[in-house]
Amino acid sequence: MKMKNITISDIAEKLNLSRSTIDRVINNRGSVAPETKRKILDYIEKINYKPNRAAKHLSKRTSCTIGISYYLPENFAAQIRKGINDVYNELQAYGLNLIIKEAGSAEEQEKQIKQMQTEIDGLIVAPWNPKNLTELINEFIEQDLPVVTFNRDAPESKRLFYFGCDYFKAGRISGEIIEKITSKPGKIAIISNEDDLVGKKRVEGFYSILKESSIHKIIGPYTIYDHFGISDSYTDKDIDYIKKIIEDNPDLKAFYVVNQSLYLVAKVVKEMGKKDQINVIGFDLFDKFIPFINEDVIEAVICQEPYSQGYFPVRILFEMLAEDREIEKSEYITRLEVVMRENLKYYNDYHYL
Amino acid sequence: MKMKNITISDIAEKLNLSRSTIDRVINNRGSVAPETKRKILDYIEKINYKPNRAAKHLSKRTSCTIGISYYLPENFAAQIRKGINDVYNELQAYGLNLIIKEAGSAEEQEKQIKQMQTEIDGLIVAPWNPKNLTELINEFIEQDLPVVTFNRDAPESKRLFYFGCDYFKAGRISGEIIEKITSKPGKIAIISNEDDLVGKKRVEGFYSILKESSIHKIIGPYTIYDHFGISDSYTDKDIDYIKKIIEDNPDLKAFYVVNQSLYLVAKVVKEMGKKDQINVIGFDLFDKFIPFINEDVIEAVICQEPYSQGYFPVRILFEMLAEDREIEKSEYITRLEVVMRENLKYYNDYHYL
DNA sequence: TTGTAAGCGTTATCAC
DNA sequence: GTGATAACGCTTACAA
């Protein structure tokens, strides 16, 4: 049970040098004679020395504060929070501090980020409106304040990396599923709202699959606005609108819904007794969706590792800040998870830590 | 950037006591006057003191050695290894040592585990033959050597916990998928081999779904032995056998393959030009499967987080051994991942660390 | 029952 | 360019 590892002192002793000299070459600070440097480097290589992380953390006694900003639907935010919570519990002992700001609008988000600037050593942001935040992100970067994006990217900014899903590919996998489960020729209706950047990509990806050689005809996109899933904000007009699509298209075989109105579409399909004729496919796992997935009204949803989106950006950024981790990718793309009735419970609130 | 945290010394000073007394009540070792104990506990509660993990690790300088034993198909083992590798890199600095033994047979596995006994502080094992290892596991436990299982459980043993998938549920999700993608009535052929415990459960789960109200008729199980995916070990007889199933059953709509012969089945289906008429579903992601998934010969495979199966058991056991983590579950069940053409690349060799 | 002091492997601040 | 030396916050003898 006793630890027996090579330490800086061992190296110093072996090489007849002082600990500080070894430290200098390992962390290349201060100046060292090139000859001694070589000697030390060679020896370190040879014995495969690994610095003790605990000692490092203890000695540095440097804490870093990471700011997190997002404006996301509540159910999704809950999963993100769980990931953030776990990584915080894991790393706060090593000096991680977090400032979490949940915005209620794009404008508020911008304001909150500006406010954080002086208090943080790094920023993690899910930019609701990437274009508008690009400049701000670049400003931070200019000032040596690292910024990473998650959930939504700001690809034109100089952010260090993006952690999140590829929405175009998400559209493709849902297209694949619809093709596989919809064997009879007929129509597929797309539901979205135009000002939804994410939804737009999901639709494009979907088209890219269906275009290839489909026996189906795409109709729409029909517009239903989602209001972050607050059910009361859907009107009777929305319901009638969906009903009308179904009635007007007797050969309708599927709904492809890229926003949270998925819940409403499922409700109408179910109430009209059309669940066996019309396949419903959508995205993400919201509480409201769950009964419909269980009843096979919604055939499948595509998820994007929300928990990981909370956990990893914090961890990677912290390791960079506190342990000089190298960022090796500019994009960490999350898995596209196919969630159906029988594997639903594994995706609804699940983690191991 | 400077850390400013409450330490044991702070508490000691505030309460006019020595550091060791504080230490005694925090880790309840040694004896402390109940009155002082109360006082300390109250104060700690009040100021929300969290011990510094780095200091703890450094001071304890206790390393622990965990033994890992498995006998698994190579492709699967590769993913496991990646998880183990990541967690090792993460924790070796805190004193984790690993002894990894890959067995070539059930007997060898038993021998290897016995050999490890004296060198390890905990054992992680994927028991190829759970029944045979139950006694050995219990022996270890009697001797206060914690044992956990992964990938395959030994439910009748006293192992601390199991980390892996629920094979019955895995059968159910594949049943759900076959039902969803196979719209025309017809036959579904099951391929398995009887001595495969895992496959047996997958078949049971599959039946539990199909029984309910299927338009399909199940035929088989037909027996094809897999030899851990060494393709050369399949014979021409196996190929003829599959061909015969297809020829004898013109209304065959799907193959449900619970072992690695999935590759061979896909090959035959493809070569007979039946890929559009017959759906092929199986388990896990082996290199040989990949081209067939990409060509839509294999419609989907169900995976079980192989990477996590390497990563988490080690991490949880280490945290228990080195940091007195409480084990709160007796089963950590991995997700059932639906992998198809368009999300394949995310499951084939992917991780964030 | 309580206190003292040495040590864990780094980093940082001085001297030389 | 190099070497002492004092932290960092905790554990663990050992002494009182």
Side-chain angles (χ1 to χ4, degrees):
Chain A
M1 288 286 261
K2 276 279 161 267
M3 189 113 112
K4 182 67 197 93
N5 266 331
I6 299 139
T7 73
I8 280 193
S9 299
D10 295 337
I11 301 172
E13 197 179 351
K14 180 80 185 176
L15 263 40
N16 269 325
L17 288 162
S18 77
R19 296 214 304 279
S20 348
T21 307
I22 313 299
D23 175 68
R24 279 186 192 99
V25 349
I26 288 172
N27 300 289
N28 50 75
R29 51 176 149 240
S31 50
V32 178
E35 192 189 348
T36 36
K37 186 168 176 173
R38 257 268 58 80
K39 203 166 59 175
I40 294 172
L41 248 22
D42 284 350
Y43 187 64
I44 282 174
E45 173 81 4
K46 187 182 139 210
I47 60 173
N48 186 29
Y49 163 79
K50 303 259 184 189
N52 181 314
R53 221 161 105 197
K56 212 164 180 155
H57 272 292
L58 183 59
S59 172
K60 283 191 106 144
R61 57 187 160 296
T62 150
S63 72
C64 86
T65 304
I66 291 178
I68 304 178
S69 161
Y70 54 85
Y71 167 43
L72 292 168
E74 174 46 31
N75 270 274
F76 201 89
Q79 299 270 55
I80 300 264
R81 257 181 242 123
K82 186 164 286 167
I84 293 175
N85 191 52
D86 275 1
V87 76
Y88 178 66
N89 282 333
E90 201 174 318
L91 298 178
Q92 62 128 274
Y94 301 129
L96 170 65
N97 291 312
L98 252 29
I99 296 177
I100 302 166
K101 296 278 183 199
E102 305 191 351
S105 70
E107 300 74 46
E108 195 189 1
Q109 179 172 44
E110 199 172 340
K111 228 181 275 171
Q112 288 177 336
I113 294 175
K114 277 179 184 156
Q115 274 173 6
M116 281 196 270
Q117 183 160 13
T118 54
E119 319 169 45
I120 58 177
D121 305 306
L123 175 69
I124 299 178
V125 57
W128 178 256
N129 194 326
K131 288 244 190 272
N132 289 5
L133 286 183
T134 296
E135 210 177 313
L136 189 56
I137 292 173
N138 287 343
E139 245 174 64
F140 277 44
I141 298 278
E142 300 291 322
Q143 292 165 39
D144 267 331
L145 206 57
V147 180
V148 312
T149 54
F150 77 106
N151 192 269
R152 289 163 168 246
D153 197 9
E156 285 161 33
S157 73
K158 292 177 185 142
R159 89 284 184 279
L160 264 70
F161 63 82
Y162 163 65
F163 192 103
C165 104
D166 178 335
Y167 292 101
F168 182 83
K169 285 290 267 171
R172 283 182 65 88
I173 177 79
S174 46
E176 180 188 357
I177 293 172
I178 283 204
E179 286 287 60
K180 282 187 172 163
I181 66 177
T182 313
S183 51
K184 297 197 191 94
K187 288 181 187 150
I188 299 170
I190 296 181
I191 310 281
S192 65
N193 51 302
E194 312 93 37
D195 57 347
D196 173 13
L197 300 169
V198 159
K200 190 175 272 176
K201 288 194 200 140
R202 285 172 175 163
V203 170
E204 285 166 14
F206 188 75
Y207 269 113
S208 81
I209 287 281
L210 274 280
K211 233 179 269 174
E212 283 165 11
S213 69
S214 179
I215 55 170
H216 303 109
K217 183 173 181 300
I218 296 177
I219 57 174
Y222 298 94
T223 299
I224 300 177
Y225 285 91
D226 74 356
H227 308 266
F228 271 9
I230 305 152
S231 73
D232 304 338
S233 64
Y234 292 113
T235 62
D236 285 347
K237 242 174 84 179
D238 290 325
I239 293 178
D240 290 340
Y241 188 53
I242 299 167
K243 274 192 186 154
K244 194 161 181 319
I245 300 173
I246 298 174
E247 283 159 0
D248 289 353
N249 299 282
D251 58 341
L252 186 71
K253 298 298 178 208
F255 272 112
Y256 175 64
V257 187
V258 300
N259 61 26
Q260 286 188 66
S261 67
L262 178 63
Y263 149 75
L264 198 69
V265 173
K267 194 168 133 84
V268 174
V269 168
K270 184 188 168 190
E271 284 169 5
M272 291 179 70
K274 291 283 190 184
K275 103 179 173 71
D276 291 333
Q277 290 85 274
I278 300 176
N279 294 322
V280 182
I281 297 275
F283 293 92
D284 298 332
L285 211 45
F286 293 89
D287 287 348
K288 296 230 139 101
F289 300 173
I290 290 172
F292 294 108
I293 299 173
N294 276 323
E295 294 172 50
D296 269 341
V297 182
I298 297 174
E299 307 288 334
V301 292
I302 308 302
C303 297
Q304 46 166 307
E305 293 195 78
Y307 172 86
S308 296
Q309 292 190 22
Y311 182 91
F312 284 103
V314 176
R315 177 156 163 183
I316 298 171
L317 187 57
F318 176 79
E319 289 181 355
M320 182 198 118
L321 252 23
E323 304 180 333
D324 300 310
R325 170 180 178 152
E326 306 266 343
I327 304 299
E328 53 286 307
K329 302 183 195 173
S330 69
E331 284 184 330
Y332 293 82
I333 303 301
T334 54
R335 288 199 252 259
L336 294 169
E337 310 170 310
V338 178
V339 179
M340 311 171 81
R341 172 170 39 93
E342 294 297 330
N343 67 347
L344 171 60
K345 74 165 180 177
Y346 300 111
Y347 289 93
N348 183 27
D349 182 31
Y350 218 74
H351 61 134
Y352 308 122
L353 295 176
Chain B
M1 286 285 261
K2 276 278 162 266
M3 190 113 111
K4 181 68 197 94
N5 266 332
I6 299 139
T7 74
I8 280 193
S9 298
D10 294 337
I11 301 172
E13 197 180 351
K14 180 79 185 176
L15 263 42
N16 269 326
L17 288 162
S18 77
R19 298 215 302 280
S20 23
T21 308
I22 314 298
D23 175 70
R24 279 184 194 100
V25 348
I26 288 172
N27 300 291
N28 49 75
R29 50 178 149 238
S31 50
V32 179
E35 193 189 348
T36 37
K37 185 168 177 173
R38 259 268 57 79
K39 204 166 60 176
I40 294 172
L41 248 22
D42 283 351
Y43 186 64
I44 281 174
E45 173 82 2
K46 188 183 139 211
I47 61 172
N48 186 30
Y49 163 79
K50 304 257 185 191
N52 181 315
R53 218 160 108 198
K56 212 163 181 157
H57 271 293
L58 182 58
S59 167
K60 282 192 109 145
R61 61 186 161 296
T62 150
S63 71
C64 86
T65 304
I66 292 177
I68 304 179
S69 161
Y70 54 85
Y71 167 42
L72 292 168
E74 174 45 31
N75 270 275
F76 200 89
Q79 299 269 55
I80 300 264
R81 259 182 239 121
K82 186 164 287 166
I84 293 175
N85 192 52
D86 276 1
V87 76
Y88 178 67
N89 282 333
E90 200 174 319
L91 297 178
Q92 61 129 271
Y94 301 129
L96 169 66
N97 292 311
L98 253 27
I99 296 176
I100 302 166
K101 297 278 183 198
E102 305 191 352
S105 71
E107 301 75 46
E108 196 190 1
Q109 179 171 45
E110 199 172 340
K111 228 181 274 171
Q112 287 176 336
I113 294 175
K114 277 178 183 156
Q115 275 172 7
M116 280 197 270
Q117 183 159 12
T118 54
E119 320 168 43
I120 58 176
D121 305 305
L123 175 67
I124 299 178
V125 57
W128 178 256
N129 193 325
K131 288 243 189 274
N132 288 6
L133 286 183
T134 297
E135 209 177 314
L136 189 56
I137 291 174
N138 286 344
E139 245 174 65
F140 276 45
I141 297 278
E142 299 291 322
Q143 291 164 41
D144 266 332
L145 205 58
V147 179
V148 312
T149 54
F150 77 106
N151 192 268
R152 288 163 168 247
D153 198 9
E156 285 160 34
S157 73
K158 292 178 186 143
R159 89 282 184 280
L160 264 70
F161 63 83
Y162 164 64
F163 193 103
C165 104
D166 179 334
Y167 292 102
F168 182 84
K169 284 290 267 171
R172 283 183 64 88
I173 177 78
S174 46
E176 180 187 358
I177 293 171
I178 283 205
E179 286 286 61
K180 282 187 173 164
I181 65 178
T182 313
S183 51
K184 297 199 191 91
K187 288 181 186 148
I188 299 170
I190 296 181
I191 310 280
S192 66
N193 51 301
E194 312 92 38
D195 57 348
D196 173 12
L197 300 169
V198 159
K200 191 175 272 175
K201 287 195 201 140
R202 284 173 176 163
V203 171
E204 286 167 12
F206 187 75
Y207 270 112
S208 81
I209 287 281
L210 275 280
K211 233 179 272 174
E212 284 165 13
S213 69
S214 180
I215 55 170
H216 303 108
K217 182 171 182 302
I218 297 176
I219 57 175
Y222 298 95
T223 298
I224 300 178
Y225 285 91
D226 74 356
H227 309 266
F228 271 10
I230 306 153
S231 73
D232 304 339
S233 64
Y234 292 113
T235 62
D236 285 348
K237 242 175 80 181
D238 290 324
I239 293 178
D240 291 340
Y241 187 53
I242 298 167
K243 274 191 186 154
K244 195 163 179 317
I245 299 172
I246 298 175
E247 283 160 0
D248 288 353
N249 299 282
D251 58 342
L252 186 71
K253 298 298 178 208
F255 274 112
Y256 175 65
V257 187
V258 302
N259 62 25
Q260 287 188 68
S261 68
L262 178 63
Y263 148 74
L264 199 68
V265 173
K267 194 168 134 83
V268 174
V269 167
K270 184 188 167 188
E271 282 170 6
M272 290 179 72
K274 291 283 191 184
K275 100 179 175 73
D276 291 333
Q277 291 85 275
I278 301 176
N279 294 321
V280 181
I281 297 275
F283 294 93
D284 299 331
L285 212 44
F286 293 89
D287 287 348
K288 296 228 139 102
F289 299 174
I290 289 171
F292 294 108
I293 298 174
N294 275 322
E295 295 172 50
D296 268 341
V297 182
I298 297 174
E299 307 288 334
V301 292
I302 309 301
C303 297
Q304 45 166 308
E305 293 195 79
Y307 173 87
S308 296
Q309 291 189 23
Y311 182 91
F312 285 103
V314 176
R315 178 158 162 180
I316 297 172
L317 187 57
F318 176 79
E319 290 181 354
M320 183 198 117
L321 252 23
E323 304 179 333
D324 300 310
R325 171 182 176 150
E326 307 266 343
I327 305 300
E328 53 286 309
K329 302 183 196 174
S330 69
E331 284 184 329
Y332 293 82
I333 304 301
T334 55
R335 287 199 254 259
L336 295 170
E337 310 169 310
V338 178
V339 179
M340 312 171 81
R341 172 169 40 92
E342 294 298 330
N343 67 346
L344 171 60
K345 74 165 180 176
Y346 299 110
Y347 289 93
N348 184 27
D349 182 29
Y350 218 76
H351 60 132
Y352 307 123
L353 294 175

